Amino acid sequence: MQFFALLARNIEKFTDADFAPLLPEEAEQRRSLYAEGAVRQVWNRGDIPGSGMMFEAGSDADVRRHLAALPLVKAGMMDIAAVVPLSPYPGFGPKR
């Protein structure tokens, strides 16, 4: 099943300088999740500092477990705004 996770940096409490030391480890963890097939795509948000991540997972709990392992989430510097389960859009299926 696919899930979309929306993440937001906690910029009210942390500065760019606070984030900087954790960014290489954050990127590596995201690459690992991608390599193992848990993450399909990652985007930077265009509205606020943060990201969107498309997951392939068995449950919401699996997605949240993956997110909890991200260094910025562990440090309280990134908030999980939403984890949304997705289902196929039927409008692209065969015509009846």
Side-chain angles (χ1 to χ4, degrees):
M1 183 171 187
Q2 290 188 326
F3 294 83
F4 187 73
L6 195 58
L7 305 168
R9 283 191 183 189
N10 191 342
I11 58 172
E12 282 78 36
K13 292 184 182 177
F14 301 97
T15 67
D16 287 345
D18 296 324
F19 287 100
L22 293 177
L23 294 180
E25 186 181 348
E26 180 80 10
E28 183 57 36
Q29 181 65 24
R30 289 176 185 227
R31 278 191 292 274
S32 293
L33 289 171
Y34 181 81
E36 72 184 46
V39 169
R40 296 291 184 118
Q41 294 179 311
V42 179
W43 299 271
N44 285 325
R45 290 182 63 167
D47 57 344
I48 63 170
S51 60
M53 299 176 72
M54 182 71 67
F55 280 88
E56 190 73 41
S59 68
D60 178 275
D62 291 339
V63 173
R64 290 183 184 278
R65 181 176 47 79
H66 290 308
L67 291 171
L70 294 174
L72 293 177
V73 173
K74 284 197 288 191
M77 300 171 85
M78 181 86 77
D79 298 324
I80 302 168
V83 174
V84 181
L86 303 173
S87 58
Y89 176 66
F92 294 141
K95 293 183 181 182
R96 296 177 193 239

